[in-house]
Amino acid sequence: MILSEHLPQDIPTGAEPYFDVRDPATEETVAHVHDSAAEEWDAALAAAVEAQAAWAKVSPRERAVILTDMYRALVERTEDLARTITLEMGKPLAEARGEVAYGAEYFRWFAEEAVRLPGRFSPSPSGAGDILVTRTPVGPVLAITPWNFPLAMATRKIAPALAAGCPILVKPASETPLTMLLAGKIITDVLAEAAAPEALVSILPTTDDAGLSSRLMADERLRKITFTGSTAVGKLLVRQSADNLLRSSMELGGNAPFLINADADLDRVLTCAMQAKMRNGGEACVAANRFLVHEHVAEEFTRRLVESMAALRPGHGLEEDSTLGPVITAKQRDRIAELVDDALAAGATALTGGGSDAVAEGPGHFYPATVLTDVPADARILHAEIFGPVATVVTFADLDEGIALANDTEYGLAAYGFSDNIDTCRRLATELTAGMVGINRGMISDAAAPFGGVKQSGFGREGGTEGIEEYLDTRYVAL
C-alpha cells in the first residue's frame, strides 16, 4: 500500500480491489483505497437499519453530548485532517484548516438542535379533541458528497442526520475519499466510546457511483437521499428517487453574480471579491463567477482585481507561501481552459492569466488566476459554472440593468450585492434571485444559516434550524 508520509497512518484505506488517490499538485499516487462493491453497500444499509433501532432509544440530550464529543474529536485532529485535505484535493493548508473548523462546527450546531426538535400541542377548533404534532426520524440516509470540500460537505449531512435520529451512509467523491475515511473513523470511534452503534455512520468509497446510487435507492429500506454536486447528476438522482418516493435534498450548481454599485466601498469590495472568487481556488458552488460592475467604478475595480489575482502564488498546498492550489483533475483544468478560450475567441480580453496558452507545463493540474473583460453576453463562460480561478468582469449603466444581468441565469444558489446606500442594499437583498444573498459580504457560509438554492440550483437546506427538518417526518396524533 502506498501512503504518503504526510498522511496520518490511521486512515482505514482497506484491501483490494482498490483505486488510486492522486495528489493534484504532483499527480503522484498518495494512497490506494478499497473500492467497495454491492455486497458491502447492502451490508452497510442492513447494519444502518439495525443501528437506527438502537439509536432511537438514545435520548436527545445523550445524542447532543455525543455530537459535541464528535466536534471536539474532529477539532483535535485538525492538522491530520487538514493535511489529508490538501494532499488529495490541493487547497492551501491554511484553507484546509479553515475547512476543518467549518466542517466540525456542524456537529456543535446540531448537537444544540438535537434537544430542540419542533412540535406542538393545541386543542382542536371543533372541540372534538386535541392535536399533537411531533417529528420522527425519516430513516436511513444516503449522502453523496463532492471533492471540493471533502470534509465539510459530508459533516453538514452527517451531523443533522444523527441529531434527528437517522443512520447515514456516505459515498465520498472518488477523487477525495481519504478525508472522509479519516473523519469517519474519528466519528465512529466516538460512537464506540459512547457505546452507540458504529454502523450509524458508514463510509463507502467506490468508483461505481452510478451503481451504488441506483442499487441503494432501489432498496425500500433507504428513506432519504442527500446530494451535493452538479445539476445534471442531481436531476438523475431525483428521477431515481421517484420510484420509492425518497425524501431528497439537492444542493446543485451555481453561477453567482457579484454586483457592485457605483456607491460601494471599493476597499471592502475588493476584500470580499477575493473571498467570494478565490476561496478554494474558485472551486466552490457559491464562488462569484460574474463580476457585474457599475461603469463609473469599473476601471478602478478591475485594475485592483487584476493586481490581486496576479499576486496569487500557485504551488503545492503544503508550501507555506502557496496561495493558489491546483485544479482537482486535468479534465477539469482543460474544461476551464476551453471556457476561457471560447470567450477570448469571441472577443474577450485577458488582463492576467489566459486560456490554454497560459497553462504552465509540468506536473500538477495548475491553472493561472485569470481576469477577463469585454466578455460578450452570449459567451458560454457567463452562463456556465466555471469552478476555477477565473473572474469575468461585465459593466452596467444603472441598477435596473445590473439586477437584470445578475438574474439572467438558470441557477439560483448564491448572489452578492455591494452598495453603501441602505435603500440599494434592501433592494439588492429583495431582488437578487438566489437561495443565499450576501450584502456587502463575500463569505456567507455559516453552520447556523440555511444553505441551499432555487431554480436549477436545487432544493432543500443544510445548516441552520431548517437543516434538521430535512431528516424529520411530521406526525399528527389526534387525541
Side-chain angles (χ1 to χ4, degrees):
M1 179 185 71
I2 296 174
L3 193 66
S4 167
E5 63 181 4
H6 298 291
L7 287 171
Q9 300 301 302
D10 59 340
I11 295 177
T13 51
E16 293 187 0
Y18 59 77
F19 60 93
D20 293 339
V21 179
R22 298 183 183 277
D23 182 341
T26 65
E27 301 181 52
E28 296 177 352
T29 299
V30 296
H32 300 314
V33 169
H34 176 60
D35 198 345
S36 65
E39 60 272 15
E40 294 165 274
W41 313 334
D42 293 343
L45 180 56
V49 172
E50 185 176 340
Q52 181 173 7
W55 191 235
K57 299 174 184 178
V58 177
S59 71
R61 177 61 66 197
E62 290 175 288
R63 287 182 202 161
V65 170
I66 292 171
L67 263 67
T68 301
D69 289 344
M70 290 174 182
Y71 161 76
R72 292 182 179 132
L74 289 168
V75 170
E76 287 172 3
R77 296 292 300 273
T78 292
E79 283 304 302
D80 286 338
L81 287 163
R83 284 180 171 272
T84 304
I85 292 169
T86 293
L87 282 168
E88 65 177 350
M89 186 269 153
K91 69 183 69 178
L93 188 58
E95 286 198 50
R97 292 182 181 121
E99 181 182 344
V100 176
Y102 171 56
E105 184 65 22
Y106 281 97
F107 284 95
R108 180 157 63 172
W109 172 260
F110 282 108
E112 296 161 345
E113 290 299 292
V115 296
R116 296 181 176 87
L117 298 186
R120 66 184 174 90
F121 176 85
S122 63
S124 171
S126 68
D130 295 316
I131 297 170
L132 175 64
V133 180
T134 64
R135 301 294 197 277
T136 58
V138 69
V141 178
L142 172 61
I144 301 176
T145 60
W147 48 261
N148 58 332
F149 289 90
L151 179 71
M153 297 303 96
T155 58
R156 74 184 190 188
K157 302 176 190 298
I158 297 170
L162 293 179
C166 302
I168 185 165
L169 314 179
V170 182
K171 205 299 291 182
S174 57
E175 295 88 352
T176 57
L178 298 173
T179 301
M180 203 57 244
L181 285 168
L182 178 57
K185 183 178 186 303
I186 294 169
I187 291 166
T188 53
D189 283 350
V190 172
L191 289 170
E193 182 73 19
E198 295 178 48
L200 284 167
V201 179
S202 293
I203 313 301
L204 301 172
T206 182
T207 56
D208 187 8
D209 297 16
L212 178 142
S213 63
S214 61
R215 185 180 184 91
L216 289 180
M217 291 169 69
D219 192 316
E220 63 182 14
R221 294 173 298 178
L222 189 77
R223 295 312 310 145
K224 177 177 172 62
I225 171 74
T226 173
F227 171 73
T228 299
S230 72
T231 296
V233 175
K235 288 181 177 180
L236 176 62
L237 293 172
V238 170
R239 293 187 191 104
Q240 290 179 343
S241 73
D243 285 344
N244 281 335
L245 294 177
L246 299 181
R247 287 279 295 276
S248 57
S249 304
M250 296 286 144
E251 195 266 283
L252 308 178
N255 187 14
F258 190 103
L259 190 154
I260 305 166
N261 201 38
D263 57 5
D265 178 346
L266 287 188
D267 289 333
R268 180 192 297 125
V269 165
L270 186 67
T271 297
C272 294
M274 292 301 291
Q275 291 173 339
K277 174 70 257 183
M278 295 308 297
R279 181 189 182 196
N280 220 47
E283 294 178 302
C285 54
V286 295
N289 277 0
R290 301 169 292 138
F291 288 91
L292 309 175
V293 192
H294 194 284
E295 58 189 16
H296 290 171
V297 295
E299 182 177 354
E300 175 68 8
F301 168 76
T302 303
R303 180 186 64 79
R304 295 174 68 174
L305 178 66
V306 168
E307 289 176 356
S308 297
M309 294 282 276
L312 294 172
R313 183 188 180 280
H316 197 291
L318 294 181
E319 297 173 4
E320 290 187 5
D321 56 351
S322 171
T323 53
L324 178 59
V327 176
I328 187 66
T329 62
K331 180 180 179 181
Q332 175 64 9
R333 179 196 59 200
D334 294 345
R335 175 188 167 278
I336 296 168
E338 182 182 348
L339 287 172
V340 174
D341 287 345
D342 175 76
L344 294 174
T349 301
L351 299 183
T352 188
S356 300
D357 294 342
V359 178
E361 295 183 3
H365 311 134
F366 290 95
Y367 194 88
T370 298
V371 177
L372 299 178
T373 59
D374 307 315
V375 184
D378 60 351
R380 284 194 298 134
I381 200 166
L382 293 181
H383 304 279
E385 186 172 29
I386 300 171
F387 235 66
V390 179
T392 62
V393 179
V394 176
T395 63
F396 62 87
D398 59 59
L399 193 57
D400 286 342
E401 180 188 5
I403 292 173
L405 288 170
N407 292 336
D408 184 20
T409 174
E410 64 180 351
Y411 298 104
L413 186 60
Y416 305 87
F418 289 79
S419 170
D420 275 3
N421 180 284
I422 185 62
D423 292 326
T424 301
C425 288
R426 288 170 63 93
R427 185 178 174 194
L428 292 172
T430 301
E431 296 186 24
L432 290 176
T433 305
M436 299 175 287
V437 180
I439 300 298
N440 292 328
R441 284 184 59 180
M443 297 279 282
I444 59 175
S445 298
D446 192 316
F451 191 106
V454 297
K455 300 195 294 186
Q456 297 292 307
S457 291
F459 47 80
R461 293 297 182 267
E462 296 182 318
T465 56
E466 297 81 1
I468 202 166
E469 289 279 4
E470 301 289 335
Y471 299 86
L472 295 169
D473 283 332
T474 299
R475 173 181 291 170
Y476 155 52
V477 179
L479 295 177

